[in-house]
Each structure stands twice: as structure tokens, then as C-alpha cells.
Amino acid sequence: MRELRHAAGLTMEQLAEASGVSARAISDMERGHSRAPQTRTLAALARGLGLEPEQLGELEGEARQQRSQAGGRPRLCELPRAISDFVGRADELDRMRRHALAGLGPAPVAVVHGQPGLGKTALAVRLADQLRDRYPGGLLYLDMRGTDAEPVATGDALLRLLRALEVGSRRIAETDDERSSQLRAVLRDRRCLLVLDNAGSEAQVRPLLPSEGESLAVVTSRRVLGGLEGVERIALTPLAPHESAALLRAIAVQAADPRAAAEVEAVARYCGHLPLALRIAGTRLATRPAWTVEHLVTRLADADRRLANLSTGDIGVATAFALSHAQLGKPARELFRRLAHVPGVDFAATLASVLTGAHLDDAPDGLDELVDLGLLQPSGPDRYRFHDLIRLFAGERLRNEEPPGTRAATAKRMSDWLLTTAIVAGRWFEPGYGSLPDGWTGLVAPAGEEEADAWLQAERANWLGALRSASRGGQYQLVVDVAEAMHWYSDKYVRSGYWYEVYGLSRAAAAQLPDRRQEVTHVNYFSWAATHCRGRPDEGAEIALDAHRVAVELGDVKEQAWALRYAGDAWRHAGDDERGLAACREALRLFDVAGDHDGYVQAQLGVARGISNLGRYHEAITECFAVLEQIELRPVAARPALSARVCAHTIATEALAESGRWAEALGEAELALPFAAEYGYAGYLGELHLTIGRARMALGRRDEARPSLRIAVELLIEKRYRGRSELAQRSLAELG
């Protein structure tokens, strides 16, 4: 090497600059301290020296002879075998390449983190393989065993890396601090790529990171390693559905059959798009030629056996999760398994506190520990969620580690808390309530309708799951109480299909209780849900008539009136406006007899809507103004009054528009907008913006019409609004 360098007329520093190999490494080779340089290092030196291929061959021969004389000394810290069917992660690879090439400040460090099974190691190895030519000083890999009971000690890691970098044993420093400085010096002078895989903590890897120079360190960990500063963090997530399907097709020939596309998508869903699970599923197919993809779908469909089926050879999804689970402290383990009780997709820290009995202030600590180990994912501010497979693993731990009695008691405590809180939140919208109960000390204390609504929507899947559980458990009065508390709140989300389930459960629960008046009330609610929430007016009318029959038997005039009101709505939605109008007129009379003022204005709105649908717009407008007058004259409760006011204005604006009274329609719609915004129902807002847009067009204010019509298109997106949405789109098209 010395002879070749002298022949080329180069100093060590000049050869280092030309080749990318550090002057220190060249000096070690020339002095015999590095007796078996790697092939890629020799190739870089040959380029720097301008050698012919024959001369490079001689150098490689000398290196092979030295290795043979040294007894075939194995290479240290070699990269693992790369995956030939690597799929996806293009954005993550691009980010790390750009970080490596930035060339500013300290040596670049990337931290790839995420839950078990996301393919962090595969990604790091893929990057190293792609950047092989940029790092002639070597590609080094070290498994830090951060999930083991005894991770690799920092001192041992330093020793292995220094030896892999061909620092002679007699030259390696004695203390960890000195070795760390020595490693940084070597990495500063060489251009190396260092993969520190499966790191357990910041303290374990910090002494191994380069400080200056062009070397790159890629750290993978299940933890975020938030204590490392100045690093590029790459948070991995599950693969996209099309990437999952591509990975399965790359592994198993059965999955590559286009006719199996639907079954491949099902396998990907059952695997939660987790690369480890997908690779195991694909391998099970590939090693069982007689299996079809449908056969695998059937096996994975069994949730109780899914984790068992996602294992092959010495690898398994549950095994990967167990390594993280083993690092949890006792309180965090209890929290982890009890979170399997949560019925919804995500949850807040308050629910974690309920499950463990811990103080609310302490709950985030346990949740952060689970997040840090990749067993839980953040899901927005103060919300968390499981990956589907980790949820199954938590369920297994729950069944294995807690007796049935404890599990049942915990589940009931969670369910009762969810439903009690749902009642308190729902009653903010109910006549006669509208505030927290005296002395309320619950973990959630909504201070008004806005906070109550936010909680009910955020925890909807959870309180719905608790409602199902209470129904199965025979807590019939609790089910009825929850549904009753949602009566006026449900109007805000009238098109949401889940009310059909809520009031189906409450009707069934009420039928098990002795109070038949309560039962007929919830039959009526169920009729409303069938018509308005599920779009089944024929079913809604049939249910309402059944409620009317029972109400007549009981002599309950109020519920007779509500039954006719709901039947009228159902017939109108089914296209029988005359029958619907007649039912609403009779309901109006009965509400007046019963003294139900809230119901009275609702029935009067039904009359107005029915008249308008029959094309009698002048009468409809008069009826709407009569509703607004009755709201002021009668003691109508706040929420029903707001609902009636918005609906009356909306019907009136539509009737005015259909009559061609555009200036009046515009004024009425603009007057109604603040009420509709306060009420919060998208349908009313969409209708009003549509009328405003059309009125402005008709009045020659075309530039002002466009924003309102666009809002109308956005708000009227549901299928049931298709006619109104198409009208808004046609109007926009006319504007050009």
C-alpha cells in the first residue's frame, strides 16, 4: 500500500481525501496494524490511487492471504441478511437519506422507533444496503438487545465496535469513557454507517454515537428515546393496505392470484397491517401449498386463536409483544391487561384511572410507560389506542393473570362509570336538567353543553359498548336511563345510525320492567330512530302504530300524541304526505290536551312540513311563523325551543324560495344561521346555506353566492340529501 501511494505521488491525507478512507485507517494498513482490510475499503483505495483492475486484484489477494494466515478471522458486526421482498417505507427511507446527506452540524443520527413487529430492523438494514457505496469505511451492525433481561453493556458494545473497526486490542482504551472518545475519533476519520439495533435506553447508545464527521448512526428502538438530542426521529406505523397486500403477494404464490384479492385484503386486516404478522401469515401460506388464502382467512377470523396462528418456526407476534411486556413494572402490567376491557377503539386517561382505581393524576404515568415501550399508541390529545393485535395480547394477559371474579368486577365498574357519566352529559340537553347534579364528584364534570357533547362524541364507542354490556347483564333500568338522557341530545346527530341501536336496546330493556308507560315511551323513541336514523320509514310507522295502540290501552294521551307525531314523520318520509299531515294534526290536538308544550311545537312543525311538501307554500310559511309565536307563548324548554326555532326558519326559507320570494328567503335564512350554528345539526346548516346561495344568485349577487353553495355541498354529503346536494352542485355549475 505504501509503495502504491508513493508511486502515485500522494500523501496519506491526499489519498484519504481521494478515497474517503481515513488517514488513520491508511496508516494502520501501511504499518501492519490492520492486517485484513475489507474488500470495499480496498476498492475505495484503488479508486483513490487510480489503480488498474489487475492491481486491485493483487491487493485483494494479499488481503485474502493475510486472513488465511490469521486463521480466518471472522468479520465483526456484519449486517444481517437483507430482506429481498422489502415493501413500502419509501417516505421513511427518503427522510433518512436526506438526513444523512444534509452535511451540516454534527454527524447525523436517525432514531427509528415504534411498536413491536413494525420492521424497524428491516428498514435500517435496507437503508444501509442502499447507502453501501457512500460509506467505504464500513457498514457495522450491533444488536443492543434492549428488550432482554440483560441488554448489551455499553462497555461491551464499545469493545465490539472498536474491534470491528480494526483497532488493535492493545490500542483499545481501558475505561468506557476513553473507549467512547476513541470510537468517536475513529468514526470522525472514517465514513461509516452504524446500525445500533433494538436499543433499550438513551444511556445505552449515547456513548456509541459519532459526534463529528460524515458517519451515520441509525438507532432502532421500541422506545422513543426522547433523551437523545439533535436526532432525526422516524416513527413507524403499520403498512398501508396496498403495501400489506403487496407484501403477502411477494411471499406466497397463493396470494398473487388476482382472484384472491378480497381474501388477501382480509388477511391484511386481521394482521393489522403489521409487517411481522404479515410476513408470518405469508410464510404459513408459502410453506403450505395445499392451503388457499381463504383457508388462512378462516383461521385468522377466530380472534381467540389469532395470535397463536400468527407464529411460525421460532418467531411469533405474541413473542415479540411479550419482550416489551416483560419490561413493564407491576402497575403498568395491571393497567395494560385491564385496558383490554375498553370496548372502543380509543380512550382517555380517565378511563385508565377507573380500570385500575389509581388517582387520575397518576394514570398518565402508566400510560406513558406503555407508549414508551410501543404497547400503546397516542391517538390525539390525551387519548390512546391499541394496535388490534396488541389488544388481543392484552386480553390474553387479562385472562391468564386475573381470576374471573376480578375481571367481572372491573368490567362492571368501568361500564357503570361510563353509563353514569353518559347520563350526566346527556342531561345537559334535557328539559328539567341542563346542569350537573348537586354534589357531583365524578371524574368528568362537563361545565356546559359544549363539554358534554365533546365527551359524548369522544367516548361514544365506549359508552355504547358499556350500554350493550349492561343490556346483556340485565341492568335494564340503567339502559333505559341512559337512552332517556339522550332523547333531546340525539336530535343534534339525528342522521347517526347508532341511535337505532341505542333505542332498540332501551325498548327491549323497558319491556322487561313493570312500568308500561316507560315502555311505550321507548317504543316511540325507537320509531323515531328507525325513520330518521336508519332511513326505514315503513318500519318506523309500524313501530309508532304499535306504540299508539299500547298508549291507548294505558290511557296515556301524551304518548298517543308522540306516536302519531312519529307515525306522521314516517309516512311523510315514505312519500304519503296527506296521511302524514293528518297524523300530525291529530298529534297537535292531543299534545294540547295533554299540556305537552314541547311536543305541541314539534307537531306543529310536522304540519308545516307536510303542507310545504304538498306545494302549499303560503300556508306553510304562515304555519312556521305560528310555530315561532307559540315558542314565545308557551313554556317550551330551552333545547326543544332551539330545535323548533331552527326547523321553523328552515322550512320557511325553503317555502319562500320555492315561491320565488328570494329577498325574503335570503333574509329569513340569514336570520336563522346563528340558531342553526348553535344547534349544531349539519342538515339545517346545509339547507340554509343552499337557500342563501340560490337567493343571492337570483338577486344578481353571483360572487357572493359561490361560498354558500360550496358550504352546502360539503354539509349535504349524506345519501339522504342527494337531491339537495345535486341542486347545490347544479347551482355552482351555473356560476361557472
Side-chain angles (χ1 to χ4, degrees):
M1 183 66 66
R2 186 182 298 110
E3 291 173 3
L4 290 169
R5 180 172 59 78
H6 287 165
L10 297 174
T11 65
M12 284 188 188
E13 288 72 18
Q14 289 170 330
L15 178 55
E17 184 176 354
S19 65
V21 179
S22 71
R24 182 192 294 265
I26 296 171
S27 174
D28 286 346
M29 280 184 254
E30 292 188 3
R31 291 183 292 121
H33 291 305
S34 177
R35 296 187 298 166
Q38 297 180 8
T39 301
R40 56 179 171 270
T41 303
L42 294 177
L45 289 166
R47 288 193 297 271
L49 291 165
L51 300 184
E52 297 295 330
E54 302 80 31
Q55 294 172 297
L56 173 59
E58 292 178 11
L59 276 181
E60 291 174 341
E62 290 283 352
R64 284 194 296 273
Q65 183 178 354
Q66 286 186 2
R67 292 190 191 99
S68 176
Q69 292 172 351
R73 176 167 60 91
R75 294 178 179 177
L76 300 176
C77 299
E78 283 286 300
L79 284 174
R81 178 173 175 268
I83 296 173
S84 60
D85 48 20
F86 187 91
V87 168
R89 306 303 190 199
D91 290 344
E92 292 86 349
L93 286 166
D94 184 58
R95 278 183 60 190
M96 287 194 286
R97 281 193 296 266
R98 284 189 279 109
H99 183 59
L101 299 174
L104 299 173
V109 176
V111 175
V112 180
H113 63 91
Q115 68 189 49
L118 284 171
K120 298 180 289 294
T121 302
L123 176 65
V125 172
R126 179 76 166 184
L127 177 74
D129 194 52
Q130 290 181 346
L131 298 182
R132 182 178 298 274
D133 292 341
R134 175 173 169 76
Y135 295 98
L139 308 179
L140 305 178
Y141 171 88
L142 188 59
D143 184 353
M144 304 302 295
R145 299 187 176 277
T147 56
D148 287 8
E150 295 185 11
V152 172
T154 301
D156 291 342
L158 287 165
L159 180 62
R160 294 183 198 180
L161 290 172
L162 288 169
R163 289 176 60 198
L165 289 165
E166 300 177 341
V167 177
S169 298
R170 287 178 293 180
R171 296 178 52 219
I172 294 177
E174 293 294 328
T175 69
D176 288 354
D177 287 344
E178 290 172 339
R179 288 175 180 175
S180 179
S181 297
Q182 196 171 19
L183 177 63
R184 288 195 296 272
V186 174
L187 294 175
R188 181 182 61 241
D189 293 337
R190 299 190 189 186
R191 195 185 298 163
C192 299
L193 193 156
L194 178 61
V195 175
L196 301 174
D197 193 28
N198 192 17
S201 68
E202 295 91 337
Q204 187 191 29
V205 296
R206 189 178 284 112
L208 313 179
L209 301 178
S211 57
E212 299 175 357
E214 297 184 71
S215 290
L216 168 67
V218 179
V219 182
T220 76
S221 179
R222 298 184 181 192
R223 300 178 182 271
V224 177
L225 301 184
L228 296 181
E229 299 176 349
V231 303
E232 180 79 359
R233 283 193 169 76
I234 310 292
L236 292 194
T237 59
L239 295 177
H242 71 277
E243 294 172 334
S244 299
L247 180 55
L248 289 168
R249 288 194 295 268
I251 297 172
V253 66
Q254 302 98 310
D257 186 342
R259 294 171 296 182
E263 289 77 14
V264 169
E265 290 178 6
V267 170
R269 285 196 306 273
Y270 285 134
C271 291
H273 304 289
L274 194 69
L276 175 62
L278 292 162
R279 190 164 294 283
I280 291 171
T283 301
R284 294 202 73 183
L285 270 180
T287 56
R288 294 164 175 81
W291 278 20
T292 63
V293 184
E294 185 177 5
H295 182 85
L296 181 59
V297 169
T298 302
R299 283 178 169 261
L300 294 178
D302 183 356
D304 291 337
R305 294 283 303 158
R306 190 173 303 155
L307 290 179
N309 281 310
L310 288 174
S311 63
T312 185
D314 62 348
I315 60 172
V317 171
T319 303
F321 298 158
L323 291 173
S324 287
H325 182 262
Q327 296 183 57
L328 297 174
K330 185 177 178 180
R333 288 191 184 192
E334 180 187 68
L335 174 60
F336 175 73
R337 63 179 180 261
R338 289 190 175 183
L339 286 172
H341 285 298
V342 177
V345 173
D346 63 357
F347 55 89
T350 47
L351 198 51
S353 175
V354 171
L355 285 166
T356 60
H359 192 277
L360 182 57
D361 292 341
D362 298 328
D365 294 337
L367 293 167
D368 288 345
E369 186 174 349
L370 297 179
V371 169
D372 196 35
L373 281 165
L375 292 172
L376 201 62
Q377 308 302 314
S379 179
D382 190 38
R383 296 196 71 80
Y384 305 85
R385 66 185 298 159
F386 275 133
H387 183 276
D388 290 346
L389 295 178
I390 296 180
R391 177 189 291 275
L392 293 178
F393 180 73
E396 285 189 358
R397 299 272 60 77
L398 181 66
R399 291 188 294 274
N400 292 339
E401 296 172 14
E402 292 195 1
T406 302
R407 298 201 302 269
T410 302
K412 187 176 183 302
R413 181 171 69 245
M414 175 196 69
S415 177
D416 288 351
W417 178 83
L418 282 165
L419 297 182
T420 301
T421 307
I423 291 171
V424 168
R427 282 180 174 172
W428 271 102
F429 302 85
E430 284 296 297
Y433 294 95
S435 62
L436 287 174
D438 292 339
W440 174 253
T441 58
L443 294 176
V444 173
E449 289 185 7
E450 185 176 349
E451 290 184 16
D453 179 31
W455 187 89
L456 287 167
Q457 288 303 303
E459 300 295 347
R460 184 178 70 221
N462 291 322
W463 65 255
L464 268 174
L467 193 69
R468 298 182 194 111
S469 178
S471 177
R472 291 192 301 268
Q475 294 178 277
Y476 301 125
Q477 190 58 58
L478 180 57
V479 172
V480 169
D481 289 345
V482 171
E484 186 65 52
M486 301 292 172
H487 177 214
W488 282 103
Y489 174 70
S490 62
D491 263 4
K492 184 171 184 176
Y493 299 97
V494 64
R495 303 304 183 190
S496 300
Y498 55 84
W499 297 119
Y500 183 82
E501 180 182 8
V502 169
Y503 290 112
L505 290 172
S506 70
R507 180 187 70 161
Q512 301 298 317
L513 298 170
D515 185 351
R516 295 201 69 199
R517 293 179 184 272
Q518 183 173 248
E519 178 186 356
V520 74
T521 298
H522 286 267
V523 174
N524 269 329
Y525 294 164
F526 188 49
S527 167
W528 169 85
T531 298
H532 293 278
C533 306
R534 276 298 175 88
R536 299 177 181 175
D538 291 338
E539 180 186 358
E542 184 178 346
I543 296 169
L545 290 177
D546 185 51
H548 183 265
R549 177 184 56 79
V550 177
V552 169
E553 290 177 9
L554 296 174
D556 190 329
V557 177
K558 175 181 173 181
E559 291 305 328
Q560 291 175 44
W562 277 112
L564 289 172
R565 172 71 173 88
Y566 293 136
D569 273 356
W571 287 323
R572 177 168 52 81
H573 278 274
D576 193 344
D577 289 301
E578 290 284 4
R579 193 178 185 187
L581 178 58
C584 286
R585 287 193 187 281
E586 178 60 13
L588 187 66
R589 184 186 70 82
L590 292 175
F591 277 128
D592 202 27
V593 171
D596 186 340
H597 304 292
D598 298 345
Y600 184 90
V601 295
Q602 295 298 317
Q604 196 171 17
L605 286 168
V607 172
R609 178 69 77 180
I611 294 172
S612 182
N613 285 358
L614 291 169
R616 292 149 50 184
Y617 300 122
H618 179 73
E619 290 180 54
I621 294 166
T622 301
E623 197 71 39
C624 287
F625 289 145
V627 171
L628 295 172
E629 184 179 351
Q630 288 298 317
I631 292 172
E632 301 303 325
L633 293 175
R634 292 173 178 265
V636 182
R639 187 71 185 175
L642 179 60
S643 168
R645 185 173 285 109
V646 174
C647 188
H649 281 300
T650 302
I651 297 171
T653 58
E654 292 172 10
L656 287 165
E658 294 301 324
S659 302
R661 296 160 61 178
W662 292 112
E664 294 175 79
L666 178 59
E668 190 70 17
E670 290 177 336
L671 177 66
L673 266 183
F675 297 119
E678 181 184 354
Y679 192 68
Y681 173 46
Y684 289 146
L685 283 166
E687 292 280 6
L688 291 170
H689 278 289
L690 174 58
T691 300
I692 290 171
R694 293 177 65 207
R696 286 173 175 169
M697 283 181 64
L699 295 170
R701 296 159 58 180
R702 298 171 66 85
D703 290 342
E704 298 176 47
R706 188 174 284 105
S708 291
L709 291 172
R710 285 175 176 162
I711 294 172
V713 170
E714 293 174 3
L715 293 173
L716 301 172
I717 58 174
E718 295 184 30
K719 289 193 341 189
R720 68 193 73 208
Y721 300 129
R722 185 172 58 190
R724 308 300 288 171
S725 178
E726 289 174 353
L727 177 57
Q729 292 176 41
R730 287 197 304 272
S731 300
L732 270 175
E734 290 177 25
L735 290 173

